[in-house]
Amino acid sequence: MKFMRIGVIGAGTMGQGIAEMLAVKGLDVYLVEQTPQKLDQAFQMIEWSLDKQMEKWALTVTEKKLILAKIHKTDQIKQLDNCDMIIETITEDLAAKKQIFKELDLYGNSDAVFASNTSTLSLTELANETSAPERVIGLHFLYPVAKVQLVEIIRGLKTSEETYINTREFVEQTIQKRGIQVYESPGFVTTRLICTLINEAIHTLTEGVATDEDIDAAMRVGYGFHYGPLEMADRFGLDSVYAAMERMFREFGDIKYRPSFLLKQMVRKGHLGAKTGKGFFRYDKDGDRL
């Protein structure tokens, strides 16, 4: 099955990144947000991202126009009835995601694959909101979408082999990323492992073992990480890291998933990382380290 028209529900940071990446690959993208204002803001952010690439001579004006022409804005899920695949990318709220999948069941193409970009929630629970749970699958893209080549392909308990094979072909051949097969478990692989590392890095900072700069340097220089765990947390959003840790702690009941108290304090203060300009480090309005 060829996926050529892709719906993306949710135009936040991840939705923007996924929409841009798909359009760069020549696919028609139908981007959905609740209001025209949010859609316009998301489109402006995608255009800004392309402009930054033009500044580095990685893109021409003509290529930018072609990419933007592939992104179609809509505030109605029912307008995705012509899509071959629909990827939900809204906030990690189970009730809200369930409502999206109920609507997809009503308005989506009867042959379409329904995917979620969730990093921690149950695909089986989302699939149960539809009349065709065999067509529901997880596609967990990592931030930043354009640069990270990995995609977790998560199978719910009722995901069919056909849906998995077609989705994996889409990931590896159409958008040319590396797909890994993951069976449903809280946090899957990437979130489960990276959040544990981030949490331990915060404990290490709290105990005064090393400074924030040196903790990050230890993993960045010593182990070849692109970002250290504390800057990584800032870029994910400390609120998102905290929510993921809380969810895994509830699901597993294992103390290693209990969020650091310092992480909780920072979230309460509104120091959420790059998106607020302050987390473990400081950032400018473009998200660059100060």
Side-chain angles (χ1 to χ4, degrees):
M1 182 178 180
K2 293 293 182 184
F3 300 108
M4 300 304 296
R5 296 176 300 276
I6 315 295
V8 176
I9 301 176
T13 301
M14 289 303 293
Q16 292 164 25
I18 293 168
E20 179 185 331
M21 179 272 299
L22 294 172
V24 167
K25 296 296 182 182
L27 302 170
D28 280 301
V29 182
Y30 296 82
L31 185 59
V32 182
E33 251 300 349
Q34 293 175 321
T35 66
Q37 291 78 16
K38 287 184 177 181
L39 270 173
D40 289 341
Q41 184 180 13
F43 200 79
Q44 287 168 11
M45 291 302 294
I46 293 170
E47 191 168 5
W48 172 81
S49 171
L50 296 174
D51 285 340
K52 287 196 78 173
Q53 294 173 56
M54 286 174 58
E55 289 172 8
K56 298 175 183 176
W57 299 92
L59 207 65
T60 66
V61 174
T62 301
E63 286 170 332
K64 173 190 167 182
K65 288 180 179 178
L66 288 172
I67 292 165
L68 292 176
K70 286 287 185 181
I71 302 174
H72 314 282
K73 298 182 288 184
T74 177
D75 58 2
Q76 299 289 325
I77 287 179
K78 61 185 176 184
Q79 291 181 3
L80 303 182
D81 59 352
N82 68 332
C83 290
D84 309 309
M85 174 185 282
I86 301 170
I87 305 171
E88 168 275 311
T89 71
I90 69 168
T91 186
E92 288 286 272
D93 181 295
L94 183 60
K97 286 182 185 288
K98 280 185 172 183
Q99 183 57 41
I100 293 291
F101 277 81
K102 280 182 183 177
E103 292 186 50
L104 288 179
D105 197 47
L106 289 174
Y107 303 118
N109 181 338
S110 60
D111 295 321
V113 167
F114 299 155
S116 176
N117 185 54
T118 181
S119 58
T120 57
L121 298 174
S122 167
L123 270 301
T124 301
E125 285 193 68
L126 297 179
N128 285 341
E129 301 300 320
T130 74
S131 58
E134 70 278 2
R135 290 191 284 114
V136 175
I137 198 164
L139 274 179
H140 181 215
F141 293 89
L142 305 184
Y143 176 85
V145 178
K147 293 181 180 178
V148 178
Q149 290 304 105
L150 184 79
V151 181
E152 288 184 296
I153 306 171
I154 303 108
R155 302 181 69 141
L157 293 180
K158 297 178 181 177
T159 303
S160 70
E161 186 68 15
E162 180 184 11
T163 296
Y164 170 73
I165 290 170
N166 287 336
T167 304
R168 182 149 197 156
E169 183 179 296
F170 168 75
V171 168
E172 297 190 337
Q173 295 183 22
T174 305
I175 63 174
Q176 298 173 317
K177 290 185 180 288
R178 169 69 189 274
I180 62 167
Q181 178 175 216
V182 180
Y183 292 93
E184 185 168 302
S185 177
F188 313 131
V189 174
T190 56
T191 302
R192 180 172 175 174
L193 296 183
I194 206 63
C195 281
T196 310
L197 173 64
I198 288 169
N199 206 43
E200 195 59 36
I202 300 171
H203 284 315
T204 305
L205 178 66
T206 305
E207 292 165 15
V209 175
T211 65
D212 47 12
E213 289 281 1
D214 285 345
I215 289 168
D216 269 19
M219 302 309 294
R220 194 177 63 251
V221 180
Y223 288 92
F225 280 42
H226 185 65
Y227 296 119
L230 299 176
E231 183 172 351
M232 206 179 294
D234 280 350
R235 294 189 178 281
F236 290 158
L238 299 190
D239 51 341
S240 298
V241 174
Y242 177 66
M245 293 297 303
E246 281 275 271
R247 195 168 291 115
M248 288 189 290
F249 183 45
R250 286 197 305 270
E251 291 283 344
F252 289 113
D254 192 321
I255 197 168
K256 70 182 177 184
Y257 298 111
R258 186 171 68 189
S260 158
F261 187 66
L262 176 59
L263 175 62
K264 188 182 292 188
Q265 283 182 315
M266 292 179 74
V267 171
R268 285 174 175 169
K269 284 188 223 176
H271 297 169
L272 307 181
K275 62 186 173 184
T276 60
K278 184 177 181 182
F280 291 103
F281 306 103
R282 291 183 176 274
Y283 303 84
D284 64 20
K285 61 182 178 60
D286 294 333
D288 295 323
R289 280 275 300 271
L290 294 174

